[in-house]
Amino acid sequence: MNTTRHRLRAGWVTVVSAFTPVLVQAQQTSPEAPAAPATGLETVVVTGSALGGVKKLEASYNIVTANEEQIRQSNPKSTADLLKISPGMWPESTGGQTGANIEIAGFPGGGDAPYFTTLLMGSPVYGMPTLSFFETTSIMRLDDTVRSVEILQGGPSVVFAGGQIGATANFLLKTGTEQPSGSLGLTYGDENLWRLDGFTGFKVAEGWYGSVGGFYRTSDGVRDPQFPADEGGQLTVTLKRESDRGDLLLYARYLNDKNQFITPIPLIQSGTDSFHAYPGFDPRTGTYYSKAIQHVRLPGYPNGGTTADLANGRGADMWFAGANYDHEFDSGWSISNKFLANAGDADTNALFSGTNPASISDQLYSISTALGGFELPAGSATATFVGGGAVAPTQDVIHQGWWFIHKELKNFNNDFRLSKEVFDGNTLTVGVYLAYYEMADEWNLGNQMLMTNTPNARPIAVSYVDGGQVHQLTDGQGFLDYGTFNITQRGHAFNHAIYLSDSWRIDRWLLDASVRYENQDATNRVCNLENVNLDGNPLTIYDNAVSVCDGTLAVTNYDKDLTSWTVGANYSFTDSMSSYVRVNRGGHFADFDNGIRGSTNDNLPPMQIVRNYEVGFKFQNEFLYADISAYFRDFTGLQYQQTDASGAPTGVRLFHGSESKGVNFIGTLTPVENFRFQVVANYLDGKYTDYDACVPYTNLVTGNGCATIEGKQLQRQPKLRYVLTPSYRFPFEWGDVEAYVTYTHVGDRTQDQSGLQQLGSYYTWDFGVTSRVGENWQFALRGTNVTDELGLTESNSRIFGTASGTNGVLLARPLEGSEINFQAKYLW
């Protein structure tokens, strides 16, 4: 595998060398230089503004924008990975195309994406920002139908759209124009990626414009699972009506994409910031996934069992339909309405980490059951590979959960605004936000499969003799159990909010004050579980205690009100320099899985509340662009829930808080024509507060215990992160060539609230070369982590506390190795 990839990388040199004469011979008219970065202070942003749009110069909040070219230049591995262009945003995208953990500096998440909301044309794609096994970028894909993105942190987001207290990313679609335009691109990547992208925009009739676009791709992935790691595509259509008084935009999208969800792999830890390859396992390209464990039968799945396929991964099969309408009336009145409906499946077929690896002899006989071993009678077991062949006593093995979660989602929301210019410079807006959404799940967690601790693992079946009788420790597929948390779950919720916002322009001041009152009324129904012997045979150990629904339901009603508000003031010293201050208060509602499930109606968790204080400064001239902000964030109502080895909640919930202060910075230096140096950086000092007692935890590596969290660094968030990107554009008569390199430094982080498991720091190098030839052709060569750096984003999330065991063995998610792709695109 590695030899092949090194040959492919060397082949890129040949491709570029062969392509150079073609560029030299091209005699097309020189195209215009690429568009300037969409970070300019004259850029109009719509997210977070009640006015329907405001210049970045006057926006009194932290917002980062990127146009289509900048999105491509950032070369994101996934939709979540694009968020790295915003300082303070930390997407952990090592899990693959979907299922990222998204952290926002100063917001104490620690997994999934509770403080992040994805918007499509200004509408939230789901009523809650996250659920277990679902975060909203999982149903969003980047392609040539996306015109730009606006990423807003804190500030007015507590009032507008879904009322998110953390961050929102608003993806804006391309539409048709008077002059027909489009593009068709083909991409090849050295992980055997083939991708076709297309878009066309056109005039339908006078005042009516349409567009169609999308992509299809297949890829083996950098971590090759022996089946397609990513396979699927997306189709988007729009129809726009323009008039003198307003616009109507109708859009629809269908997404069907399957993506490998990458589980942690073994490494060796020899210090807080020193990690090395585990023997026989390349941390940059290895994966446990294989054809041998791809197809399984899961008898413990609710309602009689099911079959499952790892190739279905953590993908999405979703449709979207939306409508945006804006209209201006006489006498300063205007209305705006945004509607979105979407529904479909967002399933998970994936491995989830169990205990650390060991020899099969130790697993069977020496390691205690408290640490994931079996403590069988000495010499009693027979281990064979599924499909045939004896397993050597020294064979390195591991058992991991083969989890399947079927998730059906429905979402409908509408945001209506009525605005009136009360007097010159003052605009009052009243808005109503309504949302209805559903979730229907079937979970099959556990399913510990015994397998080789090798890339592309093989499953192992074990039987043993005790008391003269043969016991089956595993079934014929290698499963040690048929699930320990096999629930059915149905939830539905209504959110309704009313908000009022006033914006007042006084000379060089732009003042705004907004308030939002919201109610979330949710009901969740979860089946109660009992353990049963599935086949009635006590000698088949794997199914003697399978959790199944007992015919009764636990019904939890969650009905909470929240008032959020924000006040901001921006002063423009000149047309290229401004400063702002903002204060806001917001809250975080519980979701179906976090806060509602597991609660009773009289024991619901308290509302999470954040108070955010922010100051910022923006400046731009011919040579320099700078956007810097500093903040203080105070959280109350955070909760900790102890879980067992399968991730099921256990014990009582504990509540605490956090305090954070930090600085976000984005800047561009252009000292000479065609050269640009960009910096994206943030510093965070965040700590947990308000809980002095020892927190109990379950740990299958070092044993159960307790740890203090008071004063510990916010989990998973780097104290210091910066991205440096110098680029240079070489103009020629036939076109141009623009080249850049990106150096990224990610500082120290910890795995969980205890701070006992360090994740260290790392750096990466990326590059890109784009050539525009004549009016119509564009060629691009891009690479990520081209020096194959080893860096971690998380360790075993099933382990609280120290996750490295004997000899420093650690299960963790490292960065993927180098990935290089080449695209040829024709534009018209």
Side-chain angles (χ1 to χ4, degrees):
M1 174 69 179
N2 288 338
T3 301
T4 302
R5 294 192 65 208
H6 284 304
R7 287 173 179 168
L8 285 169
R9 282 185 218 134
W12 288 118
V13 177
T14 305
V15 171
V16 174
S17 298
F19 183 60
T20 301
V22 179
L23 296 180
V24 174
Q25 293 171 16
Q27 296 297 319
Q28 305 280 355
T29 303
S30 176
E32 295 181 1
T39 51
L41 296 183
E42 292 299 307
T43 301
V44 175
V45 295
V46 297
T47 310
S49 170
L51 299 175
V54 63
K55 292 182 181 179
K56 289 185 70 176
L57 175 75
E58 298 179 311
S60 54
Y61 46 89
N62 184 324
I63 189 164
V64 172
T65 60
N67 59 27
E68 183 183 8
E69 179 58 33
Q70 290 173 306
I71 291 173
R72 279 196 292 266
Q73 189 179 76
S74 68
N75 200 17
K77 285 181 169 291
S78 64
T79 304
D81 193 45
L82 175 64
L83 303 176
K84 64 190 177 183
I85 67 175
S86 178
M89 296 291 291
W90 171 238
E92 296 176 358
S93 53
T94 52
Q97 285 290 309
T98 63
N101 299 310
I102 300 173
E103 308 290 347
I104 302 108
F107 289 87
D112 294 321
Y115 307 121
F116 174 78
T117 295
T118 301
L119 308 178
L120 179 60
M121 296 301 293
S123 296
V125 297
Y126 191 68
M128 292 171 174
T130 197
L131 300 172
S132 292
F133 309 104
F134 171 72
E135 48 80 24
T136 52
T137 68
S138 293
I139 56 175
M140 179 71 66
R141 299 293 184 274
L142 298 172
D143 60 18
D144 287 355
T145 66
V146 175
R147 169 170 56 88
S148 63
V149 63
E150 298 179 352
I151 305 172
L152 167 64
Q153 291 188 47
S157 66
V158 299
V159 170
F160 301 109
Q164 173 59 263
I165 62 175
T168 59
N170 188 11
F171 292 90
L172 305 175
L173 298 174
K174 290 182 185 176
T175 59
T177 56
E178 188 76 23
Q179 181 69 32
S181 63
S183 62
L184 186 65
L186 180 65
T187 303
Y188 174 73
D190 66 350
E191 74 279 26
N192 199 28
L193 163 72
W194 289 98
R195 174 168 171 144
L196 181 67
D197 285 89
F199 173 82
T200 180
F202 46 86
K203 183 177 180 179
V204 178
E206 193 61 37
W208 289 89
Y209 307 93
S211 72
V212 180
F215 78 93
Y216 182 82
R217 58 91 191 279
T218 181
S219 169
D220 291 342
V222 177
R223 303 185 186 277
D224 186 354
Q226 299 181 333
F227 47 79
D230 301 297
E231 186 173 32
Q234 178 173 266
L235 181 68
T236 305
V237 298
T238 72
L239 180 64
K240 185 177 182 179
R241 166 64 173 167
E242 293 183 349
S243 67
D244 294 338
R245 288 298 188 94
D247 299 327
L248 169 67
L249 174 65
L250 307 175
Y251 61 93
R253 168 174 281 189
Y254 177 65
L255 168 67
N256 190 336
D257 199 27
K258 302 173 183 178
N259 314 105
Q260 177 185 196
F261 184 64
I262 299 167
T263 192
I265 60 173
L267 298 117
I268 303 295
Q269 180 177 1
S270 57
T272 58
D273 199 6
S274 182
F275 304 92
H276 311 283
Y278 186 91
F281 221 115
D282 189 328
R284 300 163 186 85
T285 61
T287 179
Y288 285 110
Y289 291 26
S290 68
K291 282 187 173 296
I293 61 174
Q294 177 183 351
H295 299 282
V296 294
R297 172 70 187 176
L298 303 174
Y301 181 79
N303 302 314
T306 189
T307 57
D309 184 352
L310 273 181
N312 289 332
R314 189 167 178 171
D317 186 356
M318 300 283 296
W319 61 264
F320 302 79
N324 287 13
Y325 180 66
D326 298 278
H327 191 87
E328 294 183 358
F329 299 94
D330 294 328
S331 304
W333 291 92
S334 65
I335 61 171
S336 175
N337 193 82
K338 294 179 174 61
F339 169 79
L340 176 64
N342 54 293
D345 298 341
D347 293 353
T348 295
N349 301 259
L351 298 182
F352 286 83
S353 300
T355 60
N356 278 6
S359 72
I360 192 167
S361 179
D362 286 343
Q363 282 279 356
L364 294 176
Y365 306 121
S366 304
I367 298 174
S368 72
T369 55
L371 297 179
F374 308 115
E375 295 185 288
L376 300 181
S380 64
T382 299
T384 58
F385 291 110
V386 173
V391 179
T394 56
Q395 173 68 55
D396 215 23
V397 299
I398 192 170
H399 50 89
Q400 302 198 77
W402 205 123
W403 293 9
F404 176 49
I405 300 93
H406 175 57
K407 185 177 294 290
E408 298 179 26
L409 303 175
K410 292 181 181 178
N411 174 71
F412 305 88
N413 60 64
N414 194 87
D415 191 323
F416 174 79
R417 300 179 189 180
L418 174 65
S419 298
K420 173 69 168 74
E421 188 177 18
V422 181
F423 53 85
D424 188 30
N426 184 280
T427 301
L428 185 66
T429 299
V430 60
V432 177
Y433 172 78
L434 302 173
Y436 172 76
Y437 44 100
E438 298 178 358
M439 171 269 301
D441 285 8
E442 286 85 32
W443 291 19
N444 190 197
L445 309 191
N447 296 318
Q448 291 289 308
M449 176 181 277
L450 187 63
M451 63 185 71
T452 58
N453 183 46
T454 58
N456 305 130
R458 298 177 63 188
I460 296 170
V462 175
S463 63
Y464 68 95
V465 178
D466 188 17
Q469 292 185 303
V470 177
H471 297 69
Q472 303 297 327
L473 182 65
T474 75
D475 75 352
Q477 303 173 95
F479 282 122
L480 292 157
D481 65 71
Y482 282 163
T484 55
F485 196 62
N486 303 334
I487 62 170
T488 62
Q489 182 177 213
R490 301 290 186 272
H492 70 270
F494 296 88
N495 281 53
H496 55 272
I498 185 169
Y499 54 91
L500 185 68
S501 179
D502 187 73
S503 299
W504 194 0
R505 190 183 304 277
I506 308 173
D507 192 25
R508 291 188 172 273
W509 288 94
L510 182 58
L511 313 175
D512 69 85
S514 305
V515 63
R516 176 189 182 103
Y517 170 79
E518 182 169 8
N519 171 264
Q520 177 174 294
D521 184 2
T523 299
N524 201 30
R525 294 173 172 83
V526 186
C527 74
N528 294 310
L529 298 173
E530 62 176 341
N531 290 335
V532 302
N533 187 325
L534 207 59
D535 65 358
N537 183 357
L539 301 181
T540 52
I541 310 301
Y542 52 83
D543 69 352
N544 283 353
V546 181
S547 70
V548 299
C549 296
D550 67 3
T552 66
L553 294 175
V555 181
T556 305
N557 296 306
Y558 179 89
D559 192 345
K560 293 282 188 178
D561 300 320
L562 172 68
T563 300
S564 303
W565 56 264
T566 182
V567 177
N570 186 91
Y571 183 77
S572 300
F573 299 98
T574 67
D575 291 341
S576 60
M577 181 171 63
S578 66
S579 185
Y580 69 86
V581 60
R582 180 167 292 278
V583 180
N584 68 268
R585 175 192 183 273
H588 177 72
F589 290 107
D591 65 60
F592 292 127
D593 295 311
N594 302 282
I596 300 180
R597 177 169 50 84
S599 298
T600 58
N601 293 327
D602 57 354
N603 188 33
L604 293 167
M607 181 80 68
Q608 293 182 28
I609 298 296
V610 64
R611 292 170 177 82
N612 183 64
Y613 309 87
E614 184 177 352
V615 295
F617 176 77
K618 301 172 186 178
F619 174 78
Q620 183 176 21
N621 65 14
E622 182 181 356
F623 305 107
L624 176 67
Y625 171 88
D627 186 343
I628 184 170
S629 62
Y631 59 82
F632 175 78
R633 290 165 181 160
D634 180 28
F635 259 89
T636 59
L638 301 175
Q639 69 174 359
Y640 165 78
Q641 175 75 67
Q642 185 179 1
T643 59
D644 62 20
S646 68
T650 183
V652 299
R653 283 186 299 217
L654 308 175
F655 298 97
H656 59 284
S658 72
E659 291 183 355
S660 304
K661 53 183 178 292
V663 177
N664 292 331
F665 175 76
I666 184 167
T668 304
L669 181 65
T670 312
V672 297
E673 186 179 7
N674 295 321
F675 176 77
R676 185 169 67 246
F677 186 84
Q678 180 170 292
V679 179
V680 177
N682 73 280
Y683 171 78
L684 167 67
D685 179 14
K687 298 177 181 179
Y688 294 106
T689 61
D690 304 325
Y691 195 86
D692 295 325
C694 204
V695 173
Y697 60 79
T698 301
N699 190 312
L700 290 180
V701 172
T702 61
N704 301 342
C706 72
T708 59
I709 64 173
E710 180 76 18
K712 298 296 176 65
Q713 177 184 349
L714 295 187
Q715 67 183 116
R716 308 275 274 274
Q717 299 192 28
K719 291 183 177 179
L720 177 65
R721 172 181 170 264
Y722 56 86
V723 182
L724 311 177
T725 306
S727 62
Y728 194 88
R729 174 179 174 266
F730 301 88
F732 299 98
E733 290 185 0
W734 45 262
D736 65 27
V737 175
E738 185 172 13
Y740 70 88
V741 294
T742 297
Y743 174 82
T744 300
H745 169 85
V746 176
D748 296 332
R749 291 146 295 122
T750 62
Q751 169 63 25
D752 54 45
Q753 296 101 315
S754 74
L756 295 175
Q757 180 59 56
Q758 296 288 326
L759 297 175
S761 61
Y762 67 84
Y763 67 88
T764 60
W765 287 96
D766 307 329
F767 82 92
V769 179
T770 301
S771 177
R772 282 159 283 267
V773 182
E775 297 287 348
N776 303 109
W777 286 98
Q778 180 175 286
F779 302 91
L781 182 67
R782 302 184 180 95
T784 58
N785 194 18
V786 293
T787 54
D788 277 331
E789 298 302 325
L790 176 58
L792 307 186
T793 63
E794 69 173 65
S795 65
N796 187 347
S797 59
R798 251 33 74 191
I799 301 295
F800 190 94
T802 303
S804 59
T806 305
N807 300 320
V809 178
L810 174 73
L811 291 174
R813 269 188 183 154
L815 304 176
E816 291 181 330
S818 68
E819 181 180 8
I820 299 175
N821 61 70
F822 176 77
Q823 183 185 63
K825 177 175 285 190
Y826 183 80
L827 304 98
W828 67 89

